[in-house]
Amino acid sequence: DAKTTQPNSMESNEEEPVHLPCNHSTISGTDYIHWYRQLPSQGPEYVIHGLTSNVNNRMASLAIAEDRKSSTLILHRATLRDAAVYYCILLEYGNKLVFGAGTILRVKS
Amino acid sequence: DAGVIQSPRHEVTEMGQEVTLRCKPISGHNSLFWYRQTMMRGLELLIYFNNNVPIDDSGMPEDRFSAKMPNASFSTLKIQPSEPRDSAVYFCASSPKTGGSTEAFFGQGTRLTVV
């Protein structure tokens, strides 16, 4: 399984943007970059995914480096409800969604 | 759609007893996944099915664990006999198709405690 590296934890102030980094230097050409998050006491929740181009949706933006060896999940205005564990995952055609340790995001009011 | 439905939400059982966890995927989804989450090991993929067929069960910890998907709308994860180290939150997820561009939808989980 292709591997990703994320910081263990990050902290943000409420109402400010948050940039969550992910390194995936061994990414292959067919791997999609997925982000999920897990709120306390809940199951993981899909956030966003992309292949080569930057992506935006109502929850977040995904910025993908030109060489695809890293990506950044951007929350434009963090709220207390965004406090969660954020997982960066490489997903290939086989559909095997494998979670790493993720980044614990803390949001301060 | 009500989303992925898991039952029970909580289960407490004695060591040695059989435990069956249930999952109803989202209608029309053809992939189903079982995960286990503990503080020590994080989220582990146990097994996944495509079109009701087990594709990869390499994450199943040992023979005490078994999973079935008799039809597209139901799956079970069985532990027999259960042990205290099986205590964890078990998640079921489904996705509409195979492929890297597909998102998965998770249930609320079953918290299993084996005493």
Side-chain angles (χ1 to χ4, degrees):
Chain A
D1 301 319
K3 190 167 175 59
T4 63
T5 304
Q6 300 178 250
N8 292 334
S9 64
M10 291 184 65
E11 201 167 77
S12 170
N13 294 317
E14 201 176 9
E15 306 289 317
E16 291 184 357
V18 182
H19 290 233
L20 297 163
C22 181
N23 287 319
H24 29 79
S25 58
T26 60
I27 191 170
S28 74
T30 55
D31 286 338
Y32 282 77
I33 302 161
H34 282 245
W35 284 82
Y36 282 74
R37 72 179 185 180
Q38 188 172 21
L39 303 172
S41 300
Q42 294 193 24
E45 171 188 36
Y46 168 82
V47 177
I48 200 167
H49 77 272
L51 184 61
T52 56
S53 304
N54 295 343
V55 184
N56 300 300
N57 66 20
R58 63 175 180 80
M59 289 181 70
S61 295
L62 176 59
I64 301 173
E66 200 167 324
D67 64 4
R68 302 214 319 132
K69 294 186 176 182
S70 65
S71 61
T72 302
L73 179 71
I74 303 166
L75 307 178
H76 295 286
R77 286 177 68 234
T79 70
L80 296 178
R81 289 176 296 176
D82 291 320
V85 181
Y86 286 79
Y87 299 96
C88 170
I89 302 167
L90 299 183
L91 187 60
E92 54 186 330
Y93 184 78
N95 215 28
K96 192 170 169 179
L97 200 61
V98 177
F99 289 79
T103 296
I104 299 171
L105 175 65
R106 298 182 178 89
V107 180
K108 298 185 297 182
S109 60
Chain B
D1 202 314
V4 176
I5 299 173
Q6 293 187 244
S7 64
R9 291 294 309 276
H10 301 273
E11 175 83 32
V12 180
T13 190
E14 291 186 349
M15 183 174 62
Q17 296 298 306
E18 177 181 295
V19 176
T20 299
L21 311 181
R22 296 173 175 79
C23 175
K24 178 177 167 47
I26 294 172
S27 177
H29 284 194
N30 66 7
S31 293
L32 183 137
F33 309 82
W34 282 101
Y35 289 85
R36 176 174 70 175
Q37 186 170 35
T38 61
M39 288 294 291
M40 290 293 293
R41 301 174 69 91
L43 265 165
E44 301 174 276
L45 176 63
L46 301 178
I47 185 170
Y48 79 95
F49 296 83
N50 276 346
N51 296 317
N52 312 338
V53 175
I55 301 300
D56 187 339
D57 64 355
S58 59
M60 296 286 263
E62 49 197 275
D63 291 346
R64 297 185 298 107
F65 286 69
S66 62
K68 293 183 180 179
M69 192 164 186
N71 57 61
S73 59
F74 184 66
S75 177
T76 59
L77 178 68
K78 186 177 292 186
I79 308 172
Q80 165 64 18
S82 57
E83 297 182 4
R85 60 192 168 122
D86 302 329
S87 297
V89 181
Y90 291 81
F91 290 103
C92 176
S94 69
S95 66
K97 57 179 180 171
T98 57
S101 63
T102 304
E103 65 180 274
F105 297 80
F106 283 75
Q108 290 297 300
T110 294
R111 180 173 295 278
L112 173 65
T113 303
V114 183
V115 298

